[in-house]
Amino acid sequence: MVENKAQESSFSRNFSNVSALETPGIKYGPNGTFYVSSGISDLDRIIGGGFPLGSLVMVMEDAEAPHHMLLLRNFMSQGLVHHQPLLYASPSKDPRGFLGTLPSPSTSAKDKPINEDQEQNSLRIAWQYKKYFGEDHQIIDVNRVNKQEFCSEFDIRKPLERHLFSGQYVDCVSTKDTPSLSAFQDHCATFLAQFSRSDSKLSRCGRIAIQSLCAPQCEYINKDWDMLSFIQSLKSKLCSANAVAVITFPPSLLSPSICKRWQHMADILLSVKAIPDEDKELAKLLTGYQDMIGFLNIHKIARINTQARVILEATTYSIKLHKRRFLALECLNQAPVDGSSGSSYSTTSSCSTSSRNGTLDF
């Protein structure tokens, strides 16, 4: 007797790989998309869950400040904490020495930054149930008692433990004095071959971090089409691999046409900008200016397995250091014009973060 099988619609989701939820560092999202964390919880929330597997993330550097290194360090540390293999390329002579500057995840719940909504919710729960507990009882957030968090809070003042990056999970490549990118292209292809999507189980994923691809220390700096071919090859390999690649580059060293091509090939495009020292106009315009170290602008968001448009709450965010240790992103707020306390969203100035008014022109 033939068994009756349940009919499935063509729009039904495929949950055959939901077992990946048990894999540390991998999160299942909508439309069959799997995410890895960027290492910054605020950035994960803003872009819809993290970096999708198979995506190419590009960060445009600021020539005056190395703020892009904050994003790159957190991305690399998050992968090493989850024991995800890492390929790191740098124009320095000894790229492995850079691993000693990676931040370490905070182990103290007291030091971890808390979102304002979570803090108010915790205070509300504490007030309601105060009569049931003693004064010394501490309320535990169940979301933080997980075996291993999807995104850690990294302390930039505390270096990452050596055993996390001294093993076989890390491969470092120097692009300094390299006349051609063909050898490095083969190196990336060999690395990505370990994470082919043809495998039935999603047991692990890889990360590629490339710092300053068009740095002047590299001999291929004048070979625009060779660099463009390398990015195209890397992007094609990522489409069939369970991995994410992050490339930072200084756009000022590229011609306008080549720079536009680079930006077009990125699945997620970000840019960072430092704040000039003692900018009195910005100090009057923005609240919390003294705590800002720069701006992060989101130019492009990855759309995987969907044609729906991603609508962001804002496109420009301020980069802050909570307690001078934890990286945080916040919407830009305009200082009140009447001199009163409080803050309000900017609606008329050029630094507005509202998506209706456009992006901040750096």
Side-chain angles (χ1 to χ4, degrees):
M1 186 175 180
V2 181
E3 296 180 358
N4 294 328
K5 295 183 179 181
Q7 297 182 354
E8 295 183 358
S9 171
S10 59
F11 294 97
S12 61
R13 295 178 180 175
N14 182 14
F15 291 96
S16 59
N17 291 328
V18 178
S19 59
L21 287 170
E22 301 176 358
T23 305
I26 302 177
K27 181 173 65 176
Y28 184 81
N31 304 315
T33 307
F34 293 95
Y35 295 93
V36 295
S37 175
S38 64
I40 306 173
S41 57
D42 290 335
L43 183 57
D44 290 345
R45 173 183 53 82
I46 292 170
I47 63 178
F51 293 156
L53 289 181
S55 61
L56 175 62
V57 183
M58 304 191 76
V59 181
M60 293 186 287
E61 304 175 3
D62 182 11
E64 299 181 357
H67 287 356
H68 62 279
M69 301 305 298
L70 295 173
L71 307 181
L72 198 64
R73 284 190 177 99
N74 280 36
F75 171 76
M76 296 170 60
S77 293
Q78 187 64 74
L80 295 177
V81 167
H82 289 145
H83 302 289
Q84 297 170 351
L86 171 67
L87 174 59
Y88 171 63
S90 170
S92 63
K93 187 176 181 180
D94 181 21
R96 187 166 289 273
F98 177 75
L99 302 178
T101 65
L102 298 182
S104 176
S106 177
T107 56
S108 175
K110 182 184 299 185
D111 294 334
K112 290 183 179 181
I114 302 177
N115 193 358
E116 293 182 358
D117 296 337
Q118 296 178 353
E119 186 176 5
Q120 292 178 359
N121 190 24
S122 300
L123 292 174
R124 189 183 302 110
I125 295 176
W127 177 79
Q128 291 178 352
Y129 293 95
K130 183 177 180 180
K131 59 182 178 181
Y132 297 105
F133 305 104
E135 295 293 336
D136 297 333
H137 182 80
Q138 295 181 354
I139 299 177
I140 302 177
D141 187 0
V142 294
N143 294 327
R144 293 184 176 177
V145 193
N146 296 331
K147 184 180 297 184
Q148 195 167 17
E149 295 180 351
F150 173 73
C151 182
S152 305
E153 297 293 344
F154 291 98
D155 188 348
I156 63 174
R157 292 188 176 184
K158 183 180 179 182
L160 191 66
E161 297 180 3
R162 182 172 294 273
H163 71 88
L164 291 176
F165 60 83
S166 60
Q168 59 183 356
Y169 295 102
V170 183
D171 186 10
C172 297
V173 178
S174 176
T175 56
K176 181 180 175 62
D177 301 330
T178 302
S180 175
L181 283 170
S182 59
F184 182 44
Q185 181 175 333
D186 296 337
H187 202 118
C188 293
T190 304
F191 177 81
L192 293 175
Q194 309 175 64
F195 315 102
S196 176
R197 293 192 179 182
S198 60
D199 299 338
S200 58
K201 292 184 179 180
L202 181 57
S203 57
R204 63 173 186 167
C205 64
R207 299 189 181 214
I208 296 179
I210 303 176
Q211 175 189 348
S212 301
L213 181 59
C214 58
Q217 298 93 325
C218 305
E219 295 183 7
Y220 56 80
I221 178 62
N222 296 323
K223 300 179 180 179
D224 294 339
W225 294 105
D226 290 348
M227 291 187 290
L228 193 64
S229 176
F230 167 77
I231 298 176
Q232 289 176 340
S233 175
L234 179 61
K235 184 177 177 64
S236 64
K237 296 291 191 302
L238 285 170
C239 292
S240 58
N242 293 317
V244 175
V246 175
I247 299 177
T248 69
F249 68 97
S252 58
L253 299 181
L254 299 174
S255 62
S257 60
I258 294 297
C259 185
K260 288 294 183 181
R261 292 176 183 268
W262 283 38
Q263 298 175 28
H264 179 72
M265 286 188 293
D267 296 309
I268 298 177
L269 182 62
L270 311 173
S271 66
V272 291
K273 182 69 175 179
I275 296 180
D277 296 335
E278 298 181 359
D279 193 329
K280 296 182 180 180
E281 294 183 359
L282 279 179
K284 295 179 180 179
L285 180 64
L286 302 175
T287 60
Y289 168 78
Q290 301 298 332
D291 299 330
M292 299 180 188
I293 62 173
F295 298 110
L296 173 72
N297 198 24
I298 301 176
H299 302 272
K300 189 178 181 181
I301 296 294
R303 293 184 292 176
I304 308 296
N305 301 332
T306 181
Q307 295 182 350
R309 181 181 178 183
V310 179
I311 301 177
L312 299 176
E313 178 185 356
T315 56
T316 304
Y317 293 84
S318 62
I319 304 176
K320 294 185 177 182
L321 288 179
H322 181 73
K323 297 183 178 179
R324 297 185 178 181
R325 297 165 61 184
F326 304 101
L327 195 62
L329 303 177
E330 295 182 3
C331 291
L332 297 180
N333 291 337
Q334 182 182 9
V337 295
D338 56 354
S340 61
S341 59
S343 63
S344 59
Y345 283 102
S346 173
T347 56
T348 58
S349 68
S350 60
C351 289
S352 172
T353 62
S354 174
S355 58
R356 294 176 298 179
N357 296 333
T359 61
L360 176 63
D361 188 8
F362 288 137

